[in-house]
Amino acid sequence: MNNKSHGVKQLAVIGTGVIGNGWIARFLAQGYKVLAFDPVDGAEERTRKAVSHAWPSLEKLGLAEGASQDRIRFASTIEEAVANADLIQENVPEREELKKNVLASIDQFAKSEAIIGSSTSGIMPSVLQEGLQHPERFIVAHPFNPVYILPLVELVGGESTKADVIERASDFYQSIQMKPLVINKEIEGHLADRLMEALWREALHLVNDGVATTEEVDAAIIYGAGLRWAQMGPFLTFHLAGGEKGMRHMLDQFGPALKLPWTKLDAPELTDELKEKVIEGCESHAGDVSIAELEQKRNEFLVELLDLVEKYWPESNNLVTK
């Protein structure tokens, strides 16, 4: 565990669904103790099961000194969970009023210098920090599932967030083997989810219009764009598509195609018929393989893929901040 200059020693996690438990697993693997709170019956049991499920992947990635599945404890109240925390990670369901109410409680009971990070995937930080006693220490810290493997975390400050809070948070998340991406201009959906949402909407149109099945859409990404994006992303991928002159030639040659009606920005109406197409397609594609088995396969793949990304991508790009 590397505390560097961020000063984070005690962690609290509020809300222990898929994302909250992912954070807990990563924190524990990095040698931290975690105090969690979730009022839902059976939350602690589900968390311990989730951490146990994640642990083999974390062992392959490498555990920090002091890492233990047993360093998680559940508090009986939010006040107990956050009172001594240096960083609090909020992960309650994506409903604005619910998040605001929970964040207000966290803000009330946390010490003034503590960082409050929300895992919200789409709500802007300026909205969530409205009404907080200490809005200056609030940020969006949005991860990706599975949090204990995928390193990206989007850090977004609101109108009242202090710059040094984002800096301290960035130092902390980097110290737990994440790649913090500081987004300087807040926008709904942040950055990565907006990109994924655009592809998701187009995928739904292709299935809805009978152009492709869910399995065919997945194959188009798995064996095409997805392999390239894992290393370079869309911009460098297209830069290479331009040959020796790179992006300059690519835009000259293919830029006019952007005016062609190849894609649809608006999502299709989610009719019962479309829902069934998507559901049946996914279930057929998965076959007899359970969700747990699919998760295990995904985890093993991502661990190996991360090794490849690190091998072929410059070391200087370890911290992707703006």
Side-chain angles (χ1 to χ4, degrees), residues 241-282:
E244 291 184 1
K245 294 184 178 179
M247 183 62 81
R248 185 176 300 280
H249 177 67
M250 188 273 173
L251 290 177
D252 286 342
Q253 184 172 1
F254 298 107
L258 294 173
K259 295 295 185 181
L260 298 176
W262 284 4
T263 59
K264 304 175 181 179
L265 290 177
D266 292 332
E269 183 181 352
L270 204 56
T271 62
D272 290 340
E273 181 182 5
L274 177 54
K275 286 181 182 179
E276 286 307 311
K277 275 188 180 181
V278 173
I279 293 167
E280 290 175 8
C282 291

Side-chain angles (χ1 to χ4, degrees), residues 25-238:
R26 180 177 281 273
F27 292 156
L28 294 176
Q30 291 300 315
Y32 283 91
K33 292 180 181 179
V34 180
L35 191 54
F37 174 77
D38 194 314
V40 177
D41 290 341
E44 183 171 357
E45 181 181 356
R46 283 189 292 274
T47 290
R48 294 189 183 280
K49 183 177 179 180
V51 170
S52 177
H53 179 70
W55 211 252
S57 296
L58 288 163
E59 288 177 326
K60 290 179 181 178
L61 289 169
L63 300 176
E65 182 179 352
S68 171
Q69 298 182 56
D70 298 326
R71 302 186 80 182
I72 172 68
R73 185 169 70 82
F74 269 70
S76 56
T77 63
I78 286 182
E79 180 178 5
E80 179 189 353
V82 307
N84 297 309
D86 301 303
L87 185 141
I88 301 117
Q89 194 76 39
E90 172 272 312
N91 321 276
V92 301
E94 196 77 351
R95 299 197 298 272
E96 184 178 317
E97 286 309 310
L98 172 62
K99 280 190 176 289
K100 281 187 169 182
N101 288 336
V102 170
L103 289 168
S105 294
I106 293 172
D107 186 49
Q108 177 184 356
F109 297 120
K111 54 188 182 182
S112 60
E113 67 271 22
I115 298 171
I116 301 175
S118 174
S119 296
T120 178
S121 59
I123 306 173
M124 293 195 296
S126 290
V127 173
L128 291 177
Q129 68 187 182
E130 291 172 353
L132 296 184
Q133 297 176 22
H134 298 282
E136 71 281 352
R137 43 82 172 270
F138 174 83
I139 60 169
V140 163
H142 174 236
F144 295 83
N145 185 42
V147 183
Y148 51 89
I149 296 178
L150 294 183
L152 183 64
V153 56
E154 296 177 314
L155 302 184
V156 196
E159 294 176 1
S160 301
T161 306
K162 285 187 176 179
D164 74 295
V165 171
I166 296 177
E167 184 176 350
R168 285 169 53 211
S170 182
D171 286 346
F172 166 71
Y173 290 113
Q174 187 180 16
S175 79
I176 60 169
Q177 310 306 310
M178 299 192 84
K179 298 188 186 295
L181 175 59
V182 177
I183 300 173
N184 294 315
K185 185 175 181 179
E186 59 178 322
I187 188 173
E188 286 131 334
H190 319 316
L191 178 57
D193 272 356
R194 292 181 73 92
L195 295 170
M196 290 189 292
E197 178 76 6
L199 181 62
W200 173 233
R201 291 182 183 192
E202 189 62 27
L204 288 174
H205 275 296
L206 292 169
V207 173
N208 191 51
D209 296 344
V211 175
T213 65
T214 57
E215 186 172 4
E216 289 166 345
V217 170
D218 283 355
I221 298 299
I222 292 169
Y223 301 112
L227 289 172
R228 298 182 301 188
W229 288 345
Q231 184 189 13
M232 294 187 175
F235 282 103
L236 276 186
T237 294
F238 282 132

